[in-house]
Amino acid sequence: MIRKEILKELCATPSPSGYEEKAVTLFEEKCLGILSESFGEQSDKDDDEKIYGIHRDAIGNSIVRLGRGAKKVMISAHIDEIAIQVQHIDDNGFIHFIEDGGIDRKVLLGSTVTIINRHHGDVMGVIGKTPIHVEWQGDSKDKLNKVSEMKIDCGFSSKEEAQKYVSIGDPIVVMDIPFESPDGNKIFSRGIDDKSGVWAVIEALRVLTERYKLKPEHFKDFSFYFVACVQEEVGYDGAVVAAKEINPNVSIDYDVTFATDDDNVKKEEYGDITLGKGGCIAFGPDKNVRLCHLFEDVCEQFHIPYQPFAVGNGGTNTESIKLFSQNPMTETILISIPQRNMHTQVEVCDIRDIQSIVNMTVESIEEMVSGNYKML
């Protein structure tokens, strides 16, 4: 049974790039719950006896390990989301901000936001806009405002009042409440890029844990690493650090890609990709073609819906994992989740696509473990 509520909980938990701690903690809680339920607590065991482990590195990545074998498979997704950040408080108490990641400024005006302050908790505000009635000068009605021209109104009357609740550097997220389509298949929320991928990492851990518990000897040569990477939206920094530490034989990275079924994105440029028709196997220079073919064959064999598409080098954590792993034999693959309205607060994905990438991942790993797919 797929657990949609975990995805909603992840999406509702703020995780601006560089400020992912709350969401990372939630990820760890969900993973620890899965592992401890199957294997019990391990606090009384020596490190070399522990079947699983969880730790967080200095940059903020959370790395969950299952198994102690020499062959390493890394399954990852980035947990950070695009956001904004307090830069200046003016004399009238308005909050001015900068971008934290590639947020779409066209959809910011009129948005309700939450400023996250470590001393006073959440402070709500709204990004105000000049009333359309008085936008009379030239083409100002059609002008795209710069972020530097926007400001947040929290109801403060002065700079001194604002400084009681808001500090320079505070992260800010656009508010929304995740909700489902009437048929229950589609989820609408900010942060689906890439909380949907993080959810798939948790679900892959759940399924592999169940199989590992039933047949531990089957997996004895393998270690699996389930990683929530930070700071992807500002340069893939988390993936660089994780790749250097783990040095995987195989890296399976989840991220989102453009759905082209709403006619807002051209199929000719980004492929024929539809919500609900399966996760997407990416073919491109930084993806290992042999590994891509394994996933394709598994999907055909087990009747798992999937959509192939072509993508250039870079653009996701996959390139960084390939470049910065200390293992020269690391094979990389990018599995993408179709998404509408990317980098806005109204992103949309389909639960069935996430389920399909979990299924294809687990069955592909079975091929590795059984020896049908020989790692390099």
Side-chain angles (χ1 to χ4, degrees), residues 59-76:
I59 199 173
N61 295 315
S62 180
I63 301 174
V64 178
R65 174 189 54 79
L66 172 62
R68 304 205 61 88
K71 297 177 181 178
K72 301 176 182 179
V73 178
M74 173 177 164
I75 305 168
S76 61

Side-chain angles (χ1 to χ4, degrees), residues 150-201:
M150 302 179 191
K151 56 189 175 185
I152 298 170
D153 184 354
C154 297
F156 302 129
S157 57
S158 67
K159 182 174 186 175
E160 291 72 26
E161 183 186 5
Q163 288 175 327
K164 295 177 182 178
Y165 302 94
V166 176
S167 302
I168 303 302
D170 283 348
I172 308 167
V173 294
V174 176
M175 287 186 63
D176 83 329
I177 300 173
F179 65 94
E180 300 177 22
S181 58
D183 65 4
N185 288 324
K186 296 178 178 61
I187 299 289
F188 300 73
S189 179
R190 74 158 206 275
I192 287 175
D193 176 7
D194 186 31
K195 303 291 181 63
S196 56
V198 174
W199 183 45
V201 172

Side-chain angles (χ1 to χ4, degrees), residues 106-119:
K106 293 189 292 296
V107 299
L108 282 177
L109 291 177
S111 296
T112 304
V113 300
T114 299
I115 303 172
I116 304 166
N117 182 273
R118 70 187 181 100
H119 299 296

Side-chain angles (χ1 to χ4, degrees), residues 57-61 63 236-246 320 324:
D57 59 30
I59 199 173
N61 295 315
I63 301 174
Y236 323 125
D237 295 358
V240 170
V241 175
K244 286 180 178 179
E245 176 181 348
I246 296 171
S320 294
F324 290 95

Side-chain angles (χ1 to χ4, degrees), residues 2-4 6-8 10-11 176 178-200 255-262 273-280 307 336-357:
I2 197 158
R3 297 160 176 82
K4 290 185 285 188
I6 295 177
L7 175 57
K8 292 182 184 179
L10 283 166
C11 288
D176 83 329
F179 65 94
E180 300 177 22
S181 58
D183 65 4
N185 288 324
K186 296 178 178 61
I187 299 289
F188 300 73
S189 179
R190 74 158 206 275
I192 287 175
D193 176 7
D194 186 31
K195 303 291 181 63
S196 56
V198 174
W199 183 45
D255 210 331
V256 295
T257 192
F258 307 109
T260 59
D261 56 356
D262 59 1
I273 298 173
T274 300
L275 263 65
K277 290 192 174 182
C280 303
Q307 304 177 80
S336 298
I337 300 163
Q339 183 191 76
R340 296 176 188 155
N341 314 325
M342 194 180 296
H343 280 210
T344 73
Q345 63 267 50
V346 289
E347 296 172 336
V348 188
C349 73
D350 195 296
I351 298 298
R352 295 168 294 184
D353 298 330
I354 303 172
Q355 183 65 72
S356 76
I357 73 170

